[in-house]
Amino acid sequence: MSRPLVLLAAALFALLGLAPLAVMSARVTPEDLSALFTASSALLLGRTVLYGLGVAALALLVGVPFGFLTARTDLPLAAVLRPLGVVPLFLPPMMLAMVWTAVADMRGAPAAYFVSTLSTFPLVAVFSARAFERIDGRLEDAARLVGGTRAVLRATLPLVLPPALCGACLAFVFTINDFSVPDYVSWLGLPKFSVYADSIYATWRIDASPGRAVAMALPLVALTLLMLLPALALRRRGALASVAPDFRSPTPIALGPWRWPAFLFCITVLALGAFVPLGRLGWEAGGGPKGWSTGERAAAFSMALERSRGDVRNSVVSALATASACVVLGLVLGHALARSRRGRRFEPLLVLPLAVPAVLFGIGIIVLWNRDATAALYDSNALVSVLLTGRFVVFAALISAGAVASLDPSLEDAARMAGAGPVSRLARIVAPALRSSLAGGF
């Protein structure tokens, strides 16, 4: 890889992902730091840790069986249920909270645990399903000859556990950094179920103190990194169960009399996380308890489309621009991480924008770009893509790094000897071989 190309990509990442954090950190004063050490902050942080650990454990209990059943067994409709299992991850957690407080009148801490588990279990399920698929069938055949299905599970679970725990670490990170769900499910007539991220937002909004908001965020950033760094290590360990040149796909495991109970489990999980929320939204959109007529329903949808047309267009354009930028930048960064001997040392920097609470990163973007020299960018919709690229390029980079690590470097060596430059090698050799990984990053 060309050093100038890597340095250019690193400089762009530093500008988009690290500069907002740097300008915010510069505003922290000793007085801001002294405000951290209070009994209420310690109590709130402890509650947040327990909340994150509880959701991560529940996500494991739901996600590992779901991933196993849909990826490795003769479960009915497994090919349909597996992609549907990702749907709850694409639904805003706030939307799930709104639906379940209306459907079941769920409130308080139990509702927060329930909704956050539904939102994050797909992370564990996806990692687990992929790991189960990457186990060589010969290993399972040998274990089956020794001790049957139980021996197969004992032999394969140690290989699946690292990626499953990686998904659980991500579930923990997403849970502790989101205050919208705890705030929504406990705002009406119940003791407040506050989490630490809520206090950061309140410090910024009420006190209008960026420095104190940054200082308040430091424990949460440390806690997030404490989970993200092990997640990266677990991701690398999970790659050990990879596809070898003589790899043989494992045969589906027969569930026997457990086939339909397992199907009921998967359907129930999907109903709670996807079918009921989407069905409730459809019912409300159709008039709900008012029972709109066909004409009233059509008028309501027409009005909604008219009001939201511009917002939908802006969202789609911003998402496409962000995804495209993340894939291009992530490919260069991921290639450098995989091919460089020192690549792993830079992974903590790469995940740092993700470790910072979203509200704090947004504040950093405002402080960085709200200047006369950059007024044109700040006043444009492009600033949204700038913010999102800096925060989420880590996903594309890590996906690309994992895929590049499995790519034979001799292909690039041959292209270099034939006179192909670094950009040409990336575009014509590396990128085509990583199509599925780049699509996943996108």
Side-chain angles (χ1 to χ4, degrees):
M1 175 66 69
S2 168
R3 177 173 292 184
L5 183 61
V6 173
L7 290 177
L8 176 61
L12 283 174
F13 171 72
L15 177 64
L16 300 179
L18 300 181
L21 308 182
V23 297
M24 288 296 290
S25 300
R27 297 195 169 203
V28 179
T29 65
E31 291 76 15
D32 294 327
L33 293 174
S34 64
L36 283 177
F37 306 103
T38 63
S40 59
S41 295
L43 180 64
L44 204 56
L45 190 62
R47 177 189 296 172
T48 302
V49 171
L50 291 177
Y51 174 47
L53 290 175
V55 170
L58 291 172
L60 271 175
L61 290 176
V62 176
V64 172
F66 189 93
F68 168 71
L69 292 171
T70 56
R72 285 301 327 282
T73 69
D74 61 347
L75 184 77
L77 300 178
V80 177
L81 296 177
R82 183 175 176 180
L84 287 178
V86 188
V87 172
L89 190 63
F90 296 152
L91 301 179
M94 173 64 85
M95 192 196 81
L96 293 176
M98 294 171 63
V99 167
W100 281 109
T101 52
V103 170
D105 195 28
M106 299 184 68
R107 303 283 179 178
Y113 278 85
F114 178 75
V115 170
S116 296
T117 300
L118 292 178
S119 297
T120 57
F121 91 86
L123 292 167
V124 179
V126 168
F127 279 79
S128 301
R130 185 59 176 157
F132 275 115
E133 286 183 331
R134 294 167 69 89
I135 297 174
D136 199 307
R138 292 168 299 181
L139 172 65
E140 293 192 357
D141 292 342
R144 189 176 289 108
L145 289 174
V146 173
T149 302
R150 291 185 180 180
V152 171
L153 293 177
R154 285 197 301 268
T156 57
L157 282 179
L159 298 175
V160 176
L161 192 57
L165 289 175
C166 177
C169 288
L170 293 178
F172 176 89
V173 169
F174 290 159
T175 298
I176 66 170
N177 282 284
D178 175 39
F179 67 88
S180 62
V181 170
D183 182 73
Y184 185 84
V185 300
S186 61
W187 69 275
L188 186 61
L190 283 173
K192 180 75 171 176
F193 181 62
S194 300
V195 291
Y196 198 82
D198 198 0
S199 65
I200 300 172
Y201 178 69
T203 300
W204 161 254
R205 185 171 183 179
I206 298 175
D207 297 346
S209 174
R212 191 179 176 196
V214 175
M216 287 289 295
L218 291 178
L220 196 61
V221 173
L223 195 59
T224 303
L225 286 174
L226 195 63
M227 278 295 179
L228 280 178
L229 296 182
L232 294 176
L234 290 165
R235 178 186 67 88
R236 291 191 292 267
R237 285 189 58 189
L240 296 177
S242 58
V243 179
D246 57 346
F247 175 83
R248 184 164 65 83
S249 297
T251 56
I253 296 176
L255 294 175
W258 293 99
R259 197 164 180 253
W260 290 107
F263 178 76
L264 180 61
F265 164 77
C266 292
I267 284 293
T268 301
V269 171
L270 289 178
L272 296 175
F275 301 155
V276 171
L278 292 176
R280 177 71 184 203
L281 286 177
W283 181 70
E284 292 282 1
K290 297 179 180 179
W292 287 343
S293 65
T294 302
E296 291 173 324
R297 191 177 298 113
F301 273 96
S302 176
M303 181 179 65
L305 290 174
E306 180 64 28
R307 290 184 176 181
S308 65
R309 182 178 291 114
D311 294 335
V312 171
R313 181 180 62 251
N314 292 338
S315 297
V316 171
V317 171
S318 297
L320 291 174
T322 299
S324 301
C326 283
V327 166
V328 175
L329 185 57
L331 177 60
V332 179
L333 294 174
H335 188 279
L337 289 176
R339 293 290 188 242
S340 172
R341 295 179 180 178
R342 303 176 182 176
R344 292 182 182 178
R345 299 180 183 179
F346 296 97
E347 285 185 346
L349 281 178
L350 200 61
V351 301
L352 191 57
L354 191 64
V356 173
V359 62
L360 190 65
F361 191 82
I363 296 170
I365 288 289
I366 294 173
V367 174
L368 177 64
W369 296 106
N370 189 13
R371 306 169 185 272
D372 292 338
T374 55
L377 173 63
Y378 184 81
D379 293 334
S380 71
N381 292 335
L383 187 68
V384 177
S385 295
V386 169
L387 183 154
L388 296 176
T389 300
R391 184 165 167 80
F392 294 126
V393 70
V394 57
F395 291 115
L398 292 179
I399 291 173
S400 297
V404 169
S406 64
L407 187 64
D408 191 345
S410 63
L411 298 174
E412 298 176 62
D413 294 337
R416 181 170 53 251
M417 293 178 64
V423 176
S424 179
R425 293 197 301 271
L426 271 181
R428 302 176 63 181
I429 303 297
V430 178
L434 307 183
R435 285 190 300 270
S436 62
S437 296
L438 295 179
F442 184 87

